[in-house]
Every structure is written in structure tokens, then in C-alpha cells.
Amino acid sequence: MKSNSDIQKMQPFMSPLTVWAFAVGTSVGWGSLVVTSNTYLRQAGPWGSVIGLLIGAAIMLLVCWNYHYLANRYPEATGVYYFTKNVFGYDPAFLISWFVLLLYSAIFWANATAVPLFARYIFGDVFRFEYLYTIFGYEIYLGELLLTAAVIGITVLLMIISKKATARAMIGLVAIFVIGITACFVVGIVNFLSGSVGFEPRYAPDGLPLAQIARIASISPRTFGNRMDC
């Protein structure tokens, strides 16, 4: 057993505001908006999506409760590898670590593609030069690849140089994001109360409502789980 003097204590460096920005920024992103409209609403409609997401959120609350317990049980370090190693042993920890590595490697490209999508929406065709190829109907341009690499490089460099600068940048970006989402929400509520928009049809026309809810509930924990800092 390790004594208290042998345990390396973790030193917090993030303020409550930074923690809030980190939580919001890693939980709500491009996929939360695009996937919701392109997948959830088309497969289950407004009510099916809302109910399915609430069920998925309840499942993830159970997972978070376990993480909270383990973080208090093993305060010297956190992460899925450390928790699994202490509870189940080295072999399961090794396997789960490779699984998490493959998971994040698989979704990294999806997060990176948000950069050219934003650029196309805001700047039009400015970065769409030097066409390379088309994959699954999506055109790839050298300009957008260079833009994505530049954004990733600047982000990594900023995180290496200064924790405080990273925190300030994160707070500023999340503040802009929250203000924009809040404005859209207010406009949506006003339009809904005025009767110009509604929740019809409540479910997708091709399928049973219960099946649609079950479909969203089964995939929504994955979207929540992808954002957990394992």
C-alpha cells in the first residue's frame, strides 16, 4: 500500500470558468448541430430525438457517477487506463487503452473536417483551390487541407507555450459559441410561440415512434461518451 507521502498529488491550474469552458467546448461541437439535423431529426423527428437523447443522457449520468466514484477512490491520477488497472488488473487496462486510442484516432478526422466546413460557410470558396480528389461525394482541396493543418498546429503550439493563453482562448471561443447558440434558441422560441414553426411531424413518418426512440437512445450514449476525457 502506498502511504500518503508517496502519492503524487495533482496540482489544479484551471479556474472554475476555465473548467466550464472546457466542459462546454468538449461536449458541444459541430457534430452536435450537424448530426442532430442530418441524423436524429430525419430518423426520429423532434420528439423521438428529444426523448432518445434524454434516455442516452440518463445512461451517461450513470457512467459519470462511476467515474466520479473512481476519481474519489483513486485521487492520485485519473483516466480509463488507471482506473481499469486498479480495478481489473493490467491485461484489461492494456486492452481498454488500445480501444480508447483507436477510438480517438478514428474520430480525430471527423473533428478536423469541421474546419473546412466552417471555412466554406463563412468564407465561401476562398480556401477551395487545388482540387485533389473526391471521396464519398466530398471534394478535397489542398487549400482546405493546409488550413486544417494550420489550425491544428496553432492549437497544439498554443497549448505547449502557455496554459493561461490556452485557457483564455478557450473561454473566449466558448463565450462566442454560447452567445450564438443562446440567440438562436431565443429566436426559435419566439418563432415557436408565434406559430410560424412547430414540432410537426413529431416523429419520422416511416417507422414506429417507439422504434425511433430506441434507435436514438442506442446511439446517443456514444456521442456523449466520445466527449468524455478518458
Side-chain angles (χ1 to χ4, degrees):
M1 294 290 293
K2 293 182 179 180
S3 63
N4 292 332
S5 60
D6 296 330
I7 297 177
Q8 182 179 0
K9 298 296 183 181
M10 300 180 65
Q11 299 296 325
F13 68 91
M14 294 194 298
S15 66
L17 183 60
T18 305
V19 173
W20 168 80
F22 182 82
V24 174
T26 55
S27 299
V28 184
W30 176 265
S32 302
L33 307 178
V34 175
V35 174
T36 300
S37 59
N38 290 347
T39 302
Y40 291 174
L41 292 178
R42 289 184 179 181
Q43 292 183 359
W47 282 108
S49 299
V50 170
I51 297 174
L53 285 171
L54 289 176
I55 295 174
I59 296 173
M60 290 309 302
L61 284 176
L62 179 62
V63 175
C64 292
W65 182 85
N66 284 276
Y67 264 85
H68 178 266
Y69 172 82
L70 290 169
N72 285 277
R73 180 66 176 81
Y74 304 105
E76 60 271 20
T78 59
V80 65
Y81 169 78
Y82 191 85
F83 294 151
T84 307
K85 181 189 71 175
N86 282 275
V87 176
F88 297 106
Y90 282 94
D91 291 341
F94 175 80
L95 294 176
I96 198 67
S97 297
W98 272 106
F99 175 79
V100 172
L101 175 63
L102 294 174
L103 170 65
Y104 277 88
S105 300
I107 66 173
F108 176 78
W109 65 269
N111 291 316
T113 54
V115 175
L117 289 175
F118 273 114
R120 290 184 184 184
Y121 183 80
I122 298 174
F123 302 106
D125 296 335
V126 174
F127 295 97
R128 299 182 69 179
F129 59 85
E130 292 297 330
Y131 168 80
L132 297 177
Y133 55 89
T134 299
I135 180 171
F136 296 113
Y138 188 86
E139 297 178 344
I140 307 299
Y141 292 88
L142 177 62
E144 293 180 338
L145 289 179
L146 295 176
L147 173 66
T148 303
V151 171
I152 294 175
I154 293 172
T155 303
V156 172
L157 185 62
L158 181 64
M159 295 174 65
I160 294 175
I161 293 176
S162 174
K163 294 180 180 178
K164 291 184 178 180
T166 303
R168 294 193 187 102
M170 187 163 49
I171 292 172
L173 292 173
V174 171
I176 295 173
F177 177 77
V178 170
I179 292 173
I181 290 296
T182 302
C184 293
F185 180 78
V186 171
V187 172
I189 291 296
V190 171
N191 290 333
F192 177 77
L193 295 177
S194 65
S196 57
V197 297
F199 282 169
E200 299 297 336
R202 297 185 177 183
Y203 299 94
D206 52 343
L208 297 175
L210 185 59
Q212 296 175 19
I213 294 173
R215 183 185 302 118
I216 302 303
S218 63
I219 63 176
S220 58
R222 179 193 62 82
T223 57
F224 287 115
N226 281 347
R227 301 297 178 178
M228 294 183 66
D229 184 25
C230 295

